[in-house]
Each structure stands twice: as C-alpha cells, then as structure tokens.
Amino acid sequence: MSSWLRSLQKKISVYDDQPNAHQRFMEKLDARIRNHDREIEKMCNFHHQGFVDAITELLKVRADAGKLKVQVTDTNRRLQEAGKEVIAQTEDSIRCRIQQRNIATVVDKLQLCLPALEMYSKLKEQMDVKRYYSALKTMEQLENIYLPKVGQYRFCQIMIENLPKLREEIKDISMSDLKDFLESIRKHSDRIGETAMKQALQQKTFHIALHKQTGMNYKKSACVVNGIVPEDDHRRSEQNADEDGEPEEEVLTAQDLVDFSPVYRCLHIYSVLGDKETFENYYRKQRRKQARLVLQPQSNMHETVEGYRKYFSQIVGFFVVEDHILHVTQGLVTRAFTDELWNMALAKIIAVLRTHSSYCTDPDLVLELKNLIVVFADTVQGYGFLVNRLFDLLFEIRDQYNETLLKKWTGLFREIFETDNYSPIPIANEDELRTVISKFPFQDSELDKQTFPKKLPMSQSVPQIYMQVKEFIYASLKFSESLHRSSTEIDDMLRKSTNLLLTRTLSGCLQNLIKKPHIGLTELVQIIINTTHLEQACKYLEDFITNITNISTETVHTTRLYGLSTFKDARHAAEGEIYTKLNQKIDEFIQLADYDWTMSEPDGRASGYLMDLINFLRSTFQVFTHLPSNTNDHAAMSGKVAQTACMSACKHLSTSLTQMLLDCELKQISMGAIQQFNLDVIQCELFASSDPVPGFQGDTLQLAFIDLRQLLDLFMVWDWSTYLADYGQPTSKYLRVNPSTALTLLEKMKDTSKKNQLFAQFRKNDRDKQRLIETVVKQLRSLVNGMSHHT
C-alpha cells in the first residue's frame, strides 16, 4: 500500500506541470479502482462455496450446541443442588481456618507485645511506689529492647511519647525530694553537730580517764582530738568513770539522724539521665547558700553560752553531712569543695567570734566559749579540717578573757578594801594563827616568841588579796588549758596575766584607795605596811605558778612578777598622800588664824589655833610612833615614814606662816603683830625641839623654821645694819633672809608708820625710826634690783 501511494505520489508529481492535470488524474484513478474491484470480485467468487459450506456446518453445530447447553444446564443444576451442603461446610471450614489463622496471628502479636506491656505496667508500679531509679532502668529496657519490636502499633507510639514525660516527672520528683532533704538537714544540723561534738568530747574524756588509770601523762601527741580537757570536763569524766551502774548512751551517727536516701536516689537518677553535672552544680550551689545561712549568728548570741553552742552545733552538723556525702558518693562533692567551704566558713567564724566575744563581760561565759571553741575545733579536726587559725583566735580571746578577769577582780579588790578595818589582825590562839598562815605565807621569828593574844602587823585585807591573786591565777590557768601549748608557754602566759593583775588592777585599786577622802593617816600607814607584806609574798606567788605548771626551776626562762615595783609605787603614793593630808590639815588650822595685824602690844601667849595645830601634830606623830613594829624592818619603815611626814609638816607650816606675813592682801603689819607672830613661831620651834618623832639628829627638825626665825629676829632686834653689812657673806647672821622678803614685810610696816605720822612728828624716836625705815627700804630695793640684774 505504501508502495502504491509512493507511485501515486510520483504520478501526481508527473501531472503537476500538465494542463487539466487534476481531471486526468481522477480519470486514471477511477480506472484503477475499477480494476481492483474486478480483482476482488474474482476472489470472492473463488471462495464463496467454501463459505457456504462453513455456514451450513455451523448451523448443524448450533442445534447440537443447543442440546449440549440444555444438558450442561441440567447437569449444573443437579450439581449445584448436590454441592450446596458441601459449599456450606466448605465455607464454614474456610471461615474457621481464617479465624484460626487470625487467632494464631493475634497470639503471636500478643506474645510479642506482652513483654512491652508488662514492662510498662511494671514502670507504672515503680512510679507509684516511688522506685524512680528502677523505673528509669525499666524505661531504658523498654526503649532499647521491647518497644522497637512493636513499634508499628499505636499503643507503642503512645508509650514512646509518654516516656520523656515520665523522665521529667521523675526528675522533678527527685529534685523535690532533694529539696526536702536539704531542708531536713538544715533543720537537723544543730542536732547532728551537737551529737558529733558530744562524741568528740566523750572520746577525749575516755582517753584522759584511760591515761589517768594507767599512770600516763596526758599529752597532746597521745590525744585523738588533740588538747587538754578543761578542768570541769575532767572532773565530769572522772565522775562518769565512777558511775558504773549507769548504762552508756547509744552512739548516734549522721545516718541515724538524717535519711540520706533522697540524695543518693537523686544522684543515681541524674546519673542515669546523663545530667549528673547539673545535679552536682545544683547541690553545691544550694549547700553554699545553706553554709552562708548557717554561718549567720543570732544578734544576741553573745548573751548566753547556749547561743554559742547552737551556732557551733549547726556548723559542725553542716560539715559532718558534707563529710558523709564526700565519702559515700562518687564526685557529688570533692575534698577541694569541702575545703573551699571550710575556708570560707572559718574566715566567717573567726570574724563572728571576734565581734561577739568582744561583747562578753562575764569571764565565766568567755571561759565556756573557749571550751566550746576547743571542742568545736577538735570535732572538725577529726573530720580532716585545719583548725590552726581557731587556736590562734583563742589567743586573742585569751587576752579578752584576761581583761574580763581583771574587771571582775577590780570589783573584788575594791570590796576587800572597803570592808577592811585597816588595823593589825588580832590573833587569840594557835588555831587562828594557822588559819591566817594557811591563807598567807607569813613568817616572823620575833612574833613567834610572843605569847597569845598577839597581833599580826598586816590588816585582814592582805591574806584576802593574796588568796584572790591565787584565784586569779587558777582562773587564768583554766583558759590556758587545751590551747595546745607547752607548760613553759602556759607558765609564761600565767606570769604575764598575773603581772597585769598586779601592775594595773591591784595597783589602780590601791591608788584609788589611797586617794579616797575617808582614808586617814592611820589607814595610810597601815596600807604602807600591807603593801610591804604583799611585796614580800611575790616570791611565793612565783613559786606557786611554777608548781601548778610543773615547770622545772632549772629550765625555767620566764617573766618575773612585777609586784615589787607595784607595791613600792603604792607605798610611795601612800607616803605622798600622808604628807598631803598632813599639809591639808595644817592649812585648815591656819585658815582659823585671826591676827590683829595692827595691834600695838602682843597678847603675851601663843594663838589658840596654833596650839591646837601643834597638839594635833603631836597626837598624830604619837600614832605613828605607837604603830606595831614586830620586826626591825617594820620599825625602820614606820620611823622613816614618821620622820619624813614630820619634816614635811614642819616645812609646810613654816612656809604657810611665811606666806601669811607676805600675803599681798595684807597691807599693814605693826610691830606688836610681829611680836605676837613671834610667840607662835616660838611654839613651833618648841614643838620641833621636843623630838615629836624619834630619830632626828640634833636640831634637824628645827631647821625647818630657820628662814622664818631669822626673818623675825631681823625685825624684832631691828638689826638692819648687821643684815646690810653682812649680806652675801656665808657667816651672815641673817643668811636665810631674802632681801625681797624683807623688803615686802618692811613696806607693810612702813605703811603702818605713815598712818601714825601725825603723832610721829611730835616724837623724835618715831621720826628717827621712820627715816631709818626709808633708808633701809632704799638699800633693800637696791639689793633686790642688783639681784634681778645679776639674774
């Protein structure tokens, strides 16, 4: 066909250039079609008979096919009727087999899902009973083993979606438990610390009792917790050792007081969840906060020892918990972390104790604080913490303790001085003497020879003061114990404390006592005697300190007691006060003087005030003379004080009388007044020559009035020519008369003469005397001016 078309196309192309090409083409085409139709007809005629035969055969077959169809239909009908029951049974069988297959499939799938479901149910039960660590392990098994096998089921997807929520729930619950745990240990820290400190103290007392029983000395190197038990605790340990019938108290630990399972559980949970670092950071942060809270003291902590005990117990409890966590967990806290907390705490503790201990004024409270610090230091040292700075702090507190002791003993000394009668101690029999000697080391061979009753030279305050000094040493020793220092250092500390007591406290009390207005001359003399005996007792105090510290006298290199200088200073002050009081009494008598400075004639007898003054001095010095002097030293001491006081009184009296004459408010003095004044000075000289105090050589005491005597003699004799002629000569009769003094007194007499000038011009002797006075005044002024130019 394609070839025909190609030929046709060629033919068409042939006719393209000819006229009527289309018509001619169509004609050719029609002719060609007719030829083909004739060929087709020939072919059909050739095969027609066979077609007819086939149709005939087909018609015959159709009749047979109809019959066959009827037969088949009938056979099918009969077969259907016969197979209905079989079909029904077959269908039932098929259905059963399908069910069996489905059941088997379900069983297989259920067997595959049951472990996952059982594990999930187990997870729920563990969550309900708060076994969170086991629940996390179950989750891990579900995710890695069971759920991947049944991941195509919807319930599995629900489980997978719930597992992260359960993990977060476990984290939240465990963190809540941890917070409850932290709150619990914060509340129980004081009890934990109290228990730990009690155990440390019991261990210490046990070792002391053990060493005491075996005859061993308790030394620092042999002590588990280092240190010497305070005296009260030592006695308490001995009492406990004797009480065999009492059952021992059960030893409790931190685990007994606090349930640590929450922190263990939380640590395991966060470790399983791979978030251990977050948990460690949170725990350490919270513990740092709690440490700062624990280290904050109450504002009134310094008022009672219970405040300090609670403060220390809380701190010890905190670090006992940390030490327990350090040793039972892996990495939750480290030694570096606990050391950091301890260094921070130690700095805060020292600052707090410095501040609050400075408020303590009761030495007993300071001592109890020291004992608490020692027990606290020993306890935390047992857990591996460094406590050297705490013992350094104790040395600072020791100084404050000494200050509180000094204040307390100031009151004791004052009370002793106020109750003292400042008279020698009467001794009626041997028992009373032994009683006094048991309190004060007094020895006097001369007194021993005397018969009862007799008197000791000191007053009752001396043995009381001595005993109080020993009590102070004991009190100071109590603080020095347990400070981890050698006996030599303790001995040195005791001596320094005792020196402070003597040089500051006792010395101050003595100085105040001496200055009190009600202390009279007799009391002052007794104070001098008392200080002498106390001074002599200082060597016994030194021996006492050496004995209680067990220091060998051959190896001791210690500070000496300063009692010698203290009591010498007190004696000097008492002597000075004696002189001052005498002078004050003299001034009181002189204020009673009532001279008529213009009298023309003297009364012929000494003034009453002066005689009273001399009688007072005489009786006073008799008291000095009759003071008990059982030894030569006492006699010499009393005599020296009496001599010095007598000389001082005479000099002061002479000076006061001279000042009375030269008083600038006194404008006029008559010769009669001078003569009356001379009578009073004569009585003073008679008193001085009467030897009121034994021991003066010759006229030594009278020399106190020599200046006044020469001045009065100059005016009484009116011997101006001799005075002016011999002035400046060592052998001058009036060597002690100062020109200015003579000039002042002469001018007062000159003023008196001027008042009598109206009468003097009628008396030649008075006129001559007036001219002489004027001449002497001029010469005296020239001497005074010469002295000033020379100076």
Side-chain angles (χ1 to χ4, degrees):
M1 183 65 181
S2 60
S3 61
W4 181 81
L5 287 174
R6 284 195 297 272
S7 64
L8 180 60
Q9 288 176 353
K10 290 181 179 178
K11 291 179 179 180
I12 292 173
S13 63
V14 171
Y15 292 110
D16 283 343
D17 297 334
Q18 296 180 7
N20 299 321
H22 183 268
Q23 183 177 358
R24 293 180 64 186
F25 174 74
M26 291 302 295
E27 291 176 353
K28 291 290 184 179
L29 183 59
D30 290 336
R32 186 77 175 178
I33 291 171
R34 285 191 296 274
N35 289 332
H36 283 290
D37 287 340
R38 284 192 293 273
E39 292 179 357
I40 292 170
E41 186 176 356
K42 289 179 179 179
M43 187 177 294
C44 288
N45 290 332
F46 178 76
H47 292 289
H48 179 264
Q49 186 61 41
F51 176 74
V52 172
D53 293 338
I55 290 299
T56 303
E57 289 292 332
L58 183 61
L59 290 173
K60 291 178 180 179
V61 171
R62 184 175 65 177
D64 294 335
K67 293 178 183 179
L68 181 60
K69 179 180 179 181
V70 172
Q71 291 177 356
V72 169
T73 302
D74 183 58
T75 301
N76 180 59
R77 179 183 58 77
R78 287 186 282 114
L79 181 62
Q80 291 294 332
E81 291 177 358
K84 283 182 181 180
E85 185 178 354
V86 175
I87 290 173
Q89 293 177 355
T90 302
E91 288 178 352
D92 291 342
S93 178
I94 291 172
R95 190 165 51 254
C96 288
R97 289 185 178 276
I98 291 173
Q99 287 178 353
Q100 287 178 352
R101 185 175 64 249
N102 290 341
I103 290 172
T105 302
V106 169
V107 169
D108 292 339
K109 297 301 182 182
L110 284 176
Q111 289 177 347
L112 185 64
C113 294
L114 274 177
L117 294 173
E118 290 175 352
M119 293 299 290
Y120 193 80
S121 176
K122 181 181 178 181
L123 171 63
K124 286 293 187 180
E125 291 177 358
Q126 290 170 340
M127 292 290 293
D128 292 339
V129 297
K130 299 182 179 181
R131 295 174 56 195
Y132 301 116
Y133 180 72
S134 300
L136 289 175
K137 291 296 184 181
T138 303
M139 287 185 197
E140 186 177 351
Q141 292 177 357
L142 277 171
E143 288 181 327
N144 297 331
I145 300 175
Y146 298 99
L147 291 182
K149 297 179 180 180
V150 292
Q152 69 273 23
Y153 300 108
R154 189 174 63 180
F155 76 87
C156 180
Q157 297 299 322
I158 295 174
M159 289 182 183
I160 293 174
E161 293 174 359
N162 285 339
L163 290 182
K165 298 178 182 178
L166 291 176
R167 282 195 175 91
E168 290 300 321
E169 181 181 353
I170 291 174
K171 287 179 66 175
D172 294 341
I173 293 174
S174 61
M175 185 59 69
S176 176
D177 291 344
L178 177 66
K179 292 178 180 179
D180 294 340
F181 166 78
L182 293 175
E183 181 66 20
S184 173
I185 61 175
R186 189 184 70 83
K187 293 180 179 179
H188 292 86
S189 289
D190 54 347
R191 188 180 174 193
I192 297 173
E194 182 181 356
T195 302
M197 292 173 68
K198 185 183 297 184
Q199 292 172 2
L201 184 59
Q202 289 174 350
Q203 188 177 18
K204 181 193 299 184
T205 54
F206 171 75
H207 281 274
I208 288 181
L210 180 63
H211 289 187
K212 188 177 183 66
Q213 291 174 0
T214 57
M216 296 176 59
N217 292 327
Y218 181 62
K219 298 181 179 179
K220 179 170 65 177
S221 59
C223 183
V224 173
V225 288
N226 292 335
I228 303 172
V229 176
E231 185 176 331
D232 295 338
D233 296 333
H234 196 167
R235 285 197 295 265
R236 193 179 302 116
S237 68
E238 295 176 357
Q239 293 172 1
N240 293 336
D242 294 336
E243 296 173 358
D244 298 331
E246 293 186 3
E248 294 184 359
E249 185 178 355
E250 182 182 358
V251 178
L252 299 178
T253 62
Q255 300 95 303
D256 299 325
L257 299 174
V258 176
D259 179 16
F260 287 90
S261 59
V263 70
Y264 305 151
R265 184 165 55 247
C266 198
L267 175 61
H268 291 319
I269 288 171
Y270 273 79
S271 299
V272 171
L273 295 176
D275 207 6
K276 181 179 179 181
E277 184 177 356
T278 300
F279 172 72
E280 290 176 356
N281 293 335
Y282 176 81
Y283 178 84
R284 295 179 185 182
K285 180 180 179 181
Q286 293 302 314
R287 290 299 279 166
R288 282 193 181 94
K289 290 182 179 179
Q290 287 190 341
R292 293 188 180 94
L293 291 176
V294 166
L295 294 171
Q296 290 296 331
Q298 295 181 351
S299 59
N300 61 343
M301 182 179 72
H302 59 277
E303 295 179 357
T304 61
V305 70
E306 290 302 322
Y308 288 107
R309 181 175 287 110
K310 183 176 181 181
Y311 180 68
F312 287 130
S313 297
Q314 289 177 342
I315 297 173
V316 170
F318 178 89
F319 284 100
V320 167
V321 169
E322 287 307 292
D323 181 78
H324 179 76
I325 295 294
L326 172 66
H327 287 90
V328 299
T329 61
Q330 296 294 331
L332 178 56
V333 295
T334 61
R335 174 55 66 180
F337 173 74
T338 55
D339 289 343
E340 176 191 352
L341 283 180
W342 172 247
N343 291 331
M344 181 267 291
L346 186 59
K348 180 65 176 178
I349 291 168
I350 291 174
V352 167
L353 291 179
R354 278 200 184 107
T355 301
H356 283 263
S357 63
S358 63
Y359 300 144
C360 294
T361 57
D362 182 7
D364 295 333
L365 179 59
V366 179
L367 182 61
E368 291 184 355
L369 171 60
K370 168 257 176 182
N371 292 334
L372 278 177
I373 294 175
V374 170
V375 175
F376 169 75
D378 290 341
T379 305
V380 294
Q381 189 179 37
Y383 289 93
F385 298 105
L386 299 177
V387 295
N388 294 337
R389 293 174 62 189
L390 282 175
F391 285 99
D392 294 338
L393 174 66
L394 283 175
F395 276 89
E396 299 179 22
I397 298 179
R398 179 179 60 85
D399 295 336
Q400 182 185 345
Y401 174 71
N402 286 336
E403 290 298 324
T404 58
L405 284 181
L406 293 175
K407 291 180 180 178
K408 179 178 179 179
W409 258 255
T410 298
L412 294 174
F413 288 152
R414 288 176 178 173
E415 183 178 356
I416 290 173
F417 289 140
E418 288 176 359
T419 57
D420 193 8
N421 57 9
Y422 297 99
S423 60
I425 301 176
I427 302 297
N429 50 52
E430 187 70 27
D431 292 337
E432 292 183 2
L433 180 61
R434 280 197 296 267
T435 301
V436 175
I437 294 178
S438 66
K439 297 179 181 179
F440 183 76
F442 177 76
Q443 295 178 354
D444 190 343
S445 57
E446 296 184 8
L447 183 65
D448 293 340
K449 297 176 183 178
Q450 298 179 12
T451 59
F452 294 102
K454 50 189 172 183
K455 291 184 178 180
L456 300 182
M458 79 286 289
S459 66
Q460 63 183 4
S461 63
V462 172
Q464 293 176 353
I465 291 293
Y466 184 80
M467 291 300 296
Q468 285 302 326
V469 173
K470 291 178 67 175
E471 288 297 325
F472 176 87
I473 295 173
Y474 275 126
S476 183
L477 177 63
K478 286 183 180 180
F479 195 96
S480 300
E481 294 173 338
S482 304
L483 294 187
H484 298 186
R485 289 298 184 269
S486 65
S487 298
T488 303
E489 291 175 301
I490 293 177
D491 183 273
D492 190 59
M493 287 188 289
L494 289 182
R495 291 174 183 271
K496 290 180 179 179
S497 301
T498 307
N499 277 332
L500 283 177
L501 179 73
L502 296 177
T503 59
R504 197 172 76 184
T505 303
L506 182 55
S507 176
C509 291
L510 284 171
Q511 296 293 338
N512 292 333
L513 174 67
I514 291 169
K515 298 295 182 181
K516 286 187 176 181
H518 71 275
I519 298 297
L521 298 174
T522 305
E523 288 83 358
L524 289 171
V525 174
Q526 185 63 56
I527 290 172
I528 294 174
I529 297 173
N530 290 349
T531 54
T532 301
H533 287 283
L534 288 172
E535 178 184 341
Q536 294 171 354
C538 285
K539 62 179 181 179
Y540 297 102
L541 289 175
E542 290 185 346
D543 295 339
F544 172 72
I545 294 175
T546 301
N547 290 333
I548 64 175
T549 55
N550 295 323
I551 294 296
S552 174
T553 56
E554 290 79 9
T555 60
V556 66
H557 299 284
T558 55
T559 306
R560 303 289 297 178
L561 294 184
Y562 301 149
L564 300 179
S565 60
T566 297
F567 297 122
K568 284 181 180 178
D569 293 342
R571 277 201 305 277
H572 293 159
E575 291 172 6
E577 191 66 18
I578 288 175
Y579 311 147
T580 300
K581 286 186 179 294
L582 272 176
N583 294 341
Q584 290 175 350
K585 199 66 178 179
I586 290 172
D587 292 339
E588 293 176 4
F589 278 104
I590 289 179
Q591 289 176 359
L592 299 176
D594 187 18
Y595 288 102
D596 181 7
W597 297 107
T598 59
M599 65 171 56
S600 57
E601 295 293 336
D603 293 340
R605 63 180 182 274
S607 302
Y609 84 92
L610 188 68
M611 296 307 297
D612 293 340
L613 172 57
I614 290 175
N615 291 332
F616 164 75
L617 292 176
R618 199 179 302 278
S619 61
T620 299
F621 293 126
Q622 284 178 353
V623 171
F624 277 72
T625 304
H626 289 87
L627 283 174
S629 54
N630 299 306
T631 64
N632 294 330
D633 293 337
H634 292 156
M637 179 186 64
S638 300
K640 181 181 177 182
V641 173
Q643 290 172 10
T644 307
C646 187
M647 177 59 74
S648 173
C650 290
K651 286 183 177 179
H652 184 72
L653 177 58
S654 175
T655 302
S656 299
L657 292 174
T658 304
Q659 289 176 351
M660 188 185 301
L661 287 175
L662 303 179
D663 188 3
C664 60
E665 295 182 0
L666 179 60
K667 303 300 183 182
Q668 301 173 5
I669 298 178
S670 65
M671 183 54 71
I674 294 291
Q675 293 171 350
Q676 180 64 40
F677 198 80
N678 181 61
L679 293 176
D680 293 342
V681 174
I682 290 174
Q683 291 297 322
C684 294
E685 293 172 330
L686 291 174
F687 168 75
S689 62
S690 66
D691 199 14
V693 174
F696 285 108
Q697 296 180 355
D699 56 354
T700 302
L701 193 59
Q702 291 174 275
L703 292 177
F705 299 98
I706 189 64
D707 292 359
L708 186 56
R709 168 47 54 204
Q710 291 184 7
L711 178 63
L712 291 176
D713 286 349
L714 176 60
F715 279 84
M716 294 286 294
V717 180
W718 205 253
D719 195 6
W720 294 105
S721 58
T722 303
Y723 174 76
L724 295 172
D726 295 343
Y727 178 76
Q729 299 297 323
T731 58
S732 174
K733 182 179 178 181
Y734 305 103
L735 182 63
R736 316 279 301 201
V737 179
N738 190 289
S740 61
T741 302
L743 176 60
T744 301
L745 185 57
L746 189 59
E747 287 180 339
K748 296 177 185 293
M749 296 186 66
K750 178 182 175 183
D751 293 338
T752 303
S753 301
K754 286 182 178 179
K755 284 195 171 184
N756 298 327
Q757 189 175 4
L758 179 62
F759 303 98
Q761 60 184 347
F762 298 105
R763 296 193 295 272
K764 183 176 182 303
N765 292 335
D766 291 337
R767 289 198 304 271
D768 294 340
K769 185 177 180 180
Q770 184 65 29
R771 283 195 296 269
L772 176 60
I773 289 175
E774 292 176 354
T775 301
V776 172
V777 166
K778 291 179 182 179
Q779 292 178 350
L780 289 175
R781 282 177 178 168
S782 64
L783 289 176
V784 171
N785 292 333
M787 290 174 61
S788 62
H789 290 314
H790 178 70
T791 302

